[in-house]
PDB file of all heavy atoms in Angstrom:
ATOM      1  N   GLN A 166     -11.510 -19.796-143.178  1.00 98.00           N
ATOM      2  CA  GLN A 166     -11.394 -19.288-141.751  1.00 98.00           C
ATOM      3  C   GLN A 166     -11.587 -17.806-141.764  1.00 98.00           C
ATOM      4  O   GLN A 166     -11.514 -17.214-142.869  1.00 98.00           O
ATOM      5  CB  GLN A 166     -10.034 -19.702-141.145  1.00 98.00           C
ATOM      6  CG  GLN A 166      -9.710 -21.149-141.240  1.00 98.00           C
ATOM      7  CD  GLN A 166      -8.131 -21.418-140.904  1.00 98.00           C
ATOM      8  OE1 GLN A 166      -7.712 -20.717-140.058  1.00 98.00           O
ATOM      9  NE2 GLN A 166      -7.599 -22.424-141.493  1.00 98.00           N
ATOM     10  N   TYR A 167     -11.498 -17.281-140.588  1.00 98.00           N
ATOM     11  CA  TYR A 167     -11.349 -15.802-140.520  1.00 98.00           C
ATOM     12  C   TYR A 167     -10.015 -15.354-140.904  1.00 98.00           C
ATOM     13  O   TYR A 167      -8.888 -16.011-140.520  1.00 98.00           O
ATOM     14  CB  TYR A 167     -11.572 -15.278-139.067  1.00 98.00           C
ATOM     15  CG  TYR A 167     -11.329 -13.784-138.976  1.00 98.00           C
ATOM     16  CD1 TYR A 167     -12.380 -12.882-139.237  1.00 98.00           C
ATOM     17  CD2 TYR A 167     -10.109 -13.333-138.759  1.00 98.00           C
ATOM     18  CE1 TYR A 167     -12.136 -11.494-139.319  1.00 98.00           C
ATOM     19  CE2 TYR A 167      -9.777 -11.983-138.746  1.00 98.00           C
ATOM     20  CZ  TYR A 167     -10.860 -11.100-138.989  1.00 98.00           C
ATOM     21  OH  TYR A 167     -10.602  -9.707-139.086  1.00 98.00           O
ATOM     22  N   CYS A 168      -9.819 -14.496-141.910  1.00 98.00           N
ATOM     23  CA  CYS A 168      -8.544 -14.018-142.376  1.00 98.00           C
ATOM     24  C   CYS A 168      -8.704 -12.654-142.988  1.00 98.00           C
ATOM     25  O   CYS A 168      -9.819 -12.266-143.416  1.00 98.00           O
ATOM     26  CB  CYS A 168      -7.972 -15.066-143.383  1.00 98.00           C
ATOM     27  SG  CYS A 168      -8.880 -15.384-144.825  1.00 98.00           S
ATOM     28  N   ASP A 169      -7.620 -11.931-142.987  1.00 98.00           N
ATOM     29  CA  ASP A 169      -7.668 -10.514-143.598  1.00 98.00           C
ATOM     30  C   ASP A 169      -8.036 -10.528-145.041  1.00 98.00           C
ATOM     31  O   ASP A 169      -8.744  -9.571-145.501  1.00 98.00           O
ATOM     32  CB  ASP A 169      -6.212  -9.803-143.487  1.00 98.00           C
ATOM     33  CG  ASP A 169      -5.904  -9.521-142.053  1.00 98.00           C
ATOM     34  OD1 ASP A 169      -6.890  -9.563-141.089  1.00 98.00           O
ATOM     35  OD2 ASP A 169      -4.683  -9.320-141.725  1.00 98.00           O
ATOM     36  N   SER A 170      -7.581 -11.477-145.662  1.00 98.00           N
ATOM     37  CA  SER A 170      -7.902 -11.658-147.096  1.00 98.00           C
ATOM     38  C   SER A 170      -9.360 -11.733-147.351  1.00 98.00           C
ATOM     39  O   SER A 170      -9.906 -11.141-148.357  1.00 98.00           O
ATOM     40  CB  SER A 170      -7.192 -12.882-147.637  1.00 98.00           C
ATOM     41  OG  SER A 170      -7.623 -13.186-148.911  1.00 98.00           O
ATOM     42  N   LEU A 171     -10.095 -12.455-146.461  1.00 98.00           N
ATOM     43  CA  LEU A 171     -11.518 -12.589-146.709  1.00 98.00           C
ATOM     44  C   LEU A 171     -12.238 -11.287-146.360  1.00 98.00           C
ATOM     45  O   LEU A 171     -13.202 -10.889-147.075  1.00 98.00           O
ATOM     46  CB  LEU A 171     -12.082 -13.661-145.691  1.00 98.00           C
ATOM     47  CG  LEU A 171     -13.601 -13.763-145.672  1.00 98.00           C
ATOM     48  CD1 LEU A 171     -14.088 -14.311-147.083  1.00 98.00           C
ATOM     49  CD2 LEU A 171     -14.064 -14.811-144.593  1.00 98.00           C
ATOM     50  N   VAL A 172     -11.755 -10.546-145.445  1.00 98.00           N
ATOM     51  CA  VAL A 172     -12.382  -9.184-145.248  1.00 98.00           C
ATOM     52  C   VAL A 172     -12.105  -8.219-146.396  1.00 98.00           C
ATOM     53  O   VAL A 172     -13.012  -7.541-146.738  1.00 98.00           O
ATOM     54  CB  VAL A 172     -11.708  -8.539-143.917  1.00 98.00           C
ATOM     55  CG1 VAL A 172     -12.141  -7.127-143.588  1.00 98.00           C
ATOM     56  CG2 VAL A 172     -11.943  -9.424-142.671  1.00 98.00           C
ATOM     57  N   ARG A 173     -10.942  -8.308-147.003  1.00 98.00           N
ATOM     58  CA  ARG A 173     -10.629  -7.476-148.108  1.00 98.00           C
ATOM     59  C   ARG A 173     -11.511  -7.886-149.302  1.00 98.00           C
ATOM     60  O   ARG A 173     -12.010  -7.117-150.160  1.00 98.00           O
ATOM     61  CB  ARG A 173      -9.162  -7.580-148.485  1.00 98.00           C
ATOM     62  CG  ARG A 173      -8.245  -6.706-147.697  1.00 98.00           C
ATOM     63  CD  ARG A 173      -7.018  -6.364-148.389  1.00 98.00           C
ATOM     64  NE  ARG A 173      -6.225  -7.464-148.772  1.00 98.00           N
ATOM     65  CZ  ARG A 173      -5.299  -8.011-147.915  1.00 98.00           C
ATOM     66  NH1 ARG A 173      -5.226  -7.564-146.681  1.00 98.00           N
ATOM     67  NH2 ARG A 173      -4.717  -9.146-148.293  1.00 98.00           N
ATOM     68  N   LEU A 174     -11.728  -9.242-149.526  1.00 98.00           N
ATOM     69  CA  LEU A 174     -12.612  -9.739-150.551  1.00 98.00           C
ATOM     70  C   LEU A 174     -14.028  -9.160-150.516  1.00 98.00           C
ATOM     71  O   LEU A 174     -14.596  -8.740-151.495  1.00 98.00           O
ATOM     72  CB  LEU A 174     -12.747 -11.307-150.538  1.00 98.00           C
ATOM     73  CG  LEU A 174     -13.597 -11.947-151.538  1.00 98.00           C
ATOM     74  CD1 LEU A 174     -12.879 -12.120-152.870  1.00 98.00           C
ATOM     75  CD2 LEU A 174     -14.103 -13.257-151.012  1.00 98.00           C
ATOM     76  N   CYS A 175     -14.432  -9.024-149.288  1.00 98.00           N
ATOM     77  CA  CYS A 175     -15.876  -8.563-148.963  1.00 98.00           C
ATOM     78  C   CYS A 175     -15.942  -7.103-148.955  1.00 98.00           C
ATOM     79  O   CYS A 175     -17.048  -6.476-148.849  1.00 98.00           O
ATOM     80  CB  CYS A 175     -16.337  -9.101-147.725  1.00 98.00           C
ATOM     81  SG  CYS A 175     -16.529 -10.989-147.695  1.00 98.00           S
ATOM     82  N   GLY A 176     -14.901  -6.318-148.989  1.00 98.00           N
ATOM     83  CA  GLY A 176     -14.885  -4.972-148.710  1.00 98.00           C
ATOM     84  C   GLY A 176     -15.942  -4.103-149.551  1.00 98.00           C
ATOM     85  O   GLY A 176     -15.916  -4.106-150.670  1.00 98.00           O
ATOM     86  N   ASP A 177     -16.829  -3.503-148.775  1.00 98.00           N
ATOM     87  CA  ASP A 177     -17.924  -2.632-149.277  1.00 98.00           C
ATOM     88  C   ASP A 177     -18.808  -3.265-150.332  1.00 98.00           C
ATOM     89  O   ASP A 177     -19.314  -2.655-151.167  1.00 98.00           O
ATOM     90  CB  ASP A 177     -17.195  -1.374-149.898  1.00 98.00           C
ATOM     91  CG  ASP A 177     -16.612  -0.461-148.824  1.00 98.00           C
ATOM     92  OD1 ASP A 177     -17.206  -0.395-147.725  1.00 98.00           O
ATOM     93  OD2 ASP A 177     -15.424   0.031-149.031  1.00 98.00           O
ATOM     94  N   THR A 178     -18.885  -4.643-150.185  1.00 98.00           N
ATOM     95  CA  THR A 178     -19.832  -5.230-151.260  1.00 98.00           C
ATOM     96  C   THR A 178     -21.277  -5.087-150.777  1.00 98.00           C
ATOM     97  O   THR A 178     -21.598  -4.805-149.643  1.00 98.00           O
ATOM     98  CB  THR A 178     -19.576  -6.851-151.260  1.00 98.00           C
ATOM     99  OG1 THR A 178     -19.518  -7.301-149.903  1.00 98.00           O
ATOM    100  CG2 THR A 178     -18.335  -7.101-151.989  1.00 98.00           C
ATOM    101  N   ASP A 179     -22.180  -5.110-151.751  1.00 98.00           N
ATOM    102  CA  ASP A 179     -23.649  -5.010-151.512  1.00 98.00           C
ATOM    103  C   ASP A 179     -24.041  -6.177-150.746  1.00 98.00           C
ATOM    104  O   ASP A 179     -25.075  -6.248-150.035  1.00 98.00           O
ATOM    105  CB  ASP A 179     -24.385  -4.772-152.724  1.00 98.00           C
ATOM    106  CG  ASP A 179     -23.977  -3.497-153.454  1.00 98.00           C
ATOM    107  OD1 ASP A 179     -24.503  -2.406-153.140  1.00 98.00           O
ATOM    108  OD2 ASP A 179     -23.046  -3.600-154.379  1.00 98.00           O
ATOM    109  N   LEU A 180     -23.505  -7.388-151.106  1.00 98.00           N
ATOM    110  CA  LEU A 180     -23.921  -8.640-150.530  1.00 98.00           C
ATOM    111  C   LEU A 180     -22.718  -9.592-150.308  1.00 98.00           C
ATOM    112  O   LEU A 180     -21.825  -9.594-151.212  1.00 98.00           O
ATOM    113  CB  LEU A 180     -24.933  -9.259-151.318  1.00 98.00           C
ATOM    114  CG  LEU A 180     -25.704 -10.549-150.918  1.00 98.00           C
ATOM    115  CD1 LEU A 180     -27.033 -10.774-151.522  1.00 98.00           C
ATOM    116  CD2 LEU A 180     -24.808 -11.775-151.402  1.00 98.00           C
TER     117      LEU A 180
END
Side-chain angles (χ1 to χ4, degrees):
Q166 305 174 29
Y167 175 85
C168 56
D169 289 345
S170 167
L171 178 62
V172 176
R173 280 206 296 278
L174 177 82
C175 297
D177 296 319
T178 48
D179 298 278
L180 182 153

